[in-house]
């Protein structure tokens, strides 16, 4: 159903990298598909396969009004013949934003729920009520975060390893932790994974990632950590420093970033670099997780 195209591993040249004698490469998963962008491709891939295997023609999932995940799911449903339902946090505006406008145009049924109800999105009783209301439907967790997502995200490692013989650090932004968890299971010996949290004050990330790994049936490889000091004030928040960094980054590299995930990860990485976190001679790979469509809402 989804044959993953090859994406480039781009060497980055920047004065700070030269100053600290560190090599940096960016895995351009933003180029994996124009609409199922970045890690969304990998997290949806095997969920779509499983939904079809089980005979479902309707898929339900969760997200906010600017959700990259729901945007990708809506297009995938349109392309591969699934009816899709997006359970949206909060009220819908009379005029839909670009993300939800696309999703609606591609046939996704948008179902707003109160923020209180949305907080129940992991509760079995709430999910069963949705399954009953939209029976029959295949339910994908928020952000696609389940063991099938881990199976897909592990493939990012294989793609990197085909292009780069050895590296020391692998960095990825985190919203649910599924991408980090999946890559941790496939990373080679000696590679340290750094997950840059996009959330402020969320203290359950380590247990979330651990639970995802446990649910996959694999032992925790203990090769990862969450860094939670680079959220720039909270999920979706912007700072002048972040905007300046992203503009400078694009001038230096030609690679466009988005400010919710990948921009904050790279800003955090450069702060770590200047703070002496990475030893001279380190080779670092960062994953561009896509989501550039969200720039339209900013």
């Amino acid at each position: 159903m989804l044959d993953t195209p090859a994406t480039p591993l781009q060497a980055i040249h920047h004065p700070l990298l030269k100053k600290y004698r560190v090599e940096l490469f960016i895995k351009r998963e933003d180029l994996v598909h124009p609409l199922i962008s970045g890690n969304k491709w990998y997290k949806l891939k095997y969920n779509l396969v499983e939904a079809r295997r089980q005979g479902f023609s309707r898929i339900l999932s969760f997200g906010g009004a600017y959700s990259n995940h729901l945007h990708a799911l809506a297009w995938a449903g349109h392309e591969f013949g699934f009816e899709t339902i997006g359970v949206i946090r909060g009220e819908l505006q009379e005029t839909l934003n670009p993300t939800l406008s696309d999703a609606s145009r591609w046939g996704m049924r948008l179902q707003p729920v109160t923020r209180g109800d949305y907080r129940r999105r992991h509760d079995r009783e709430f999910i069963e009520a949705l399954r009953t209301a939209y029976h029959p439907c295949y339910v994908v967790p928020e952000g696609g975060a389940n063991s099938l997502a881990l199976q897909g995200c592990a493939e990012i490692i294989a793609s990197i390893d085909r292009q780069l013989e050895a590296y020391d650090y692998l960095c990825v932004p985190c919203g649910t932790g599924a991408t980090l968890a999946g890559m941790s299971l496939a990373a080679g010996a000696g590679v340290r994974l750094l997950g840059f949290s996009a959330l402020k004050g969320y203290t359950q990330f380590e247990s979330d990632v651990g639970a995802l790994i446990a649910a996959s049936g694999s032992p925790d490889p203990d090769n990862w950590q969450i860094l939670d000091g680079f959220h720039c004030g909270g999920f979706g928040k912007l700072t002048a420093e972040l905007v300046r960094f992203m503009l400078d980054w694009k001038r230096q590299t030609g690679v466009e970033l988005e400010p919710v995930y990948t921009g904050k990860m790279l800003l955090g990485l450069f702060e770590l670099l200047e703070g002496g976190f990475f030893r001279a001679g380190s080779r670092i790979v960062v994953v561009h997780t896509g989501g550039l469509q969200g720039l339209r809402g900013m």
Side-chain angles (χ1 to χ4, degrees):
M1 184 183 299
L2 290 175
D3 295 323
T4 305
T7 56
L9 184 70
Q10 179 177 338
I12 297 298
H13 304 284
H14 191 282
L16 275 180
L17 300 171
K18 185 176 181 180
K19 176 181 177 181
Y20 292 103
R21 293 182 293 151
V22 165
E23 290 184 88
L24 180 64
F25 301 84
I26 185 167
K27 189 68 168 77
R28 297 293 307 276
E29 295 302 345
D30 57 310
L31 302 177
V32 69
H33 190 277
L35 294 169
I36 311 179
S37 176
N39 59 342
K40 274 61 70 178
W41 174 282
Y42 296 92
K43 291 196 285 185
L44 283 173
K45 179 178 179 178
Y46 291 107
N47 275 291
L48 295 176
V49 170
E50 182 63 15
R52 180 146 294 170
R53 187 190 70 80
Q54 293 187 27
F56 287 100
S57 60
R58 182 180 299 136
I59 300 176
L60 178 147
S61 195
F62 307 82
Y66 294 91
S67 170
N68 292 317
H69 165 67
L70 290 183
H71 188 265
L73 176 62
W75 190 89
H78 170 75
E79 180 68 9
F80 300 116
F82 291 99
E83 180 184 350
T84 56
I85 299 161
V87 178
I88 310 295
R89 181 182 63 247
E91 295 181 359
L92 295 180
Q93 299 299 313
E94 185 174 345
T95 301
L96 296 177
N97 67 43
T99 299
L100 295 184
S101 179
D102 282 350
S104 179
R105 179 162 49 87
W106 294 329
M108 176 173 274
R109 176 173 175 177
L110 306 177
Q111 178 58 61
V113 298
T114 66
R115 291 180 180 271
D117 278 343
Y118 193 83
R119 283 192 287 271
R120 300 174 58 211
R121 64 194 179 277
H122 303 300
D123 294 352
R124 180 172 298 183
E125 182 180 338
F126 183 60
I127 292 172
E128 288 305 318
L130 289 170
R131 281 198 175 102
T132 299
Y134 296 105
H135 180 79
C137 69
Y138 180 88
V139 176
V140 177
E142 181 185 45
N146 59 13
S147 58
L148 292 170
L150 271 60
Q151 181 182 345
C153 290
E155 295 180 354
I156 299 173
I157 297 290
S159 181
I160 294 170
D161 289 348
R162 285 193 293 268
Q163 300 173 74
L164 192 65
E165 184 175 346
Y167 48 97
D168 304 294
Y169 293 94
L170 182 58
C171 302
V172 63
C174 293
T176 64
T179 305
L180 175 70
M183 293 196 305
S184 76
L185 296 176
V191 177
R192 188 70 184 168
L193 282 82
L194 305 177
F196 290 75
S197 173
L199 311 177
K200 179 182 180 180
Y202 185 65
T203 61
Q204 304 300 313
F205 240 135
E206 284 83 1
S207 59
D208 287 352
V209 173
L212 284 166
I213 292 172
S216 75
S218 301
D220 192 328
D222 194 30
N223 59 358
W224 57 273
Q225 67 187 97
I226 299 289
L227 304 174
D228 59 5
F230 305 106
H231 49 69
C232 297
F235 186 77
K237 301 287 186 180
L238 291 174
T239 65
E241 180 187 18
L242 175 61
V243 173
R244 285 194 297 268
F245 173 81
M246 290 173 58
L247 292 173
D248 178 71
W249 170 272
K250 189 172 182 179
R251 282 194 299 268
Q252 294 280 353
T253 69
V255 178
E256 188 166 31
L257 305 176
E258 50 75 41
V260 178
Y261 294 106
T262 309
K264 291 179 179 179
M265 172 189 65
L266 282 160
L267 175 62
L269 185 146
F270 273 55
E271 289 183 20
L272 291 175
L273 182 63
E274 293 193 272
F277 184 91
F278 302 105
R279 68 183 184 278
S282 293
R283 181 176 274 187
I284 307 165
V285 176
V286 298
V287 179
H288 194 317
T289 54
L292 295 174
Q293 69 85 25
L295 289 169
R296 299 173 301 169
M298 295 188 170

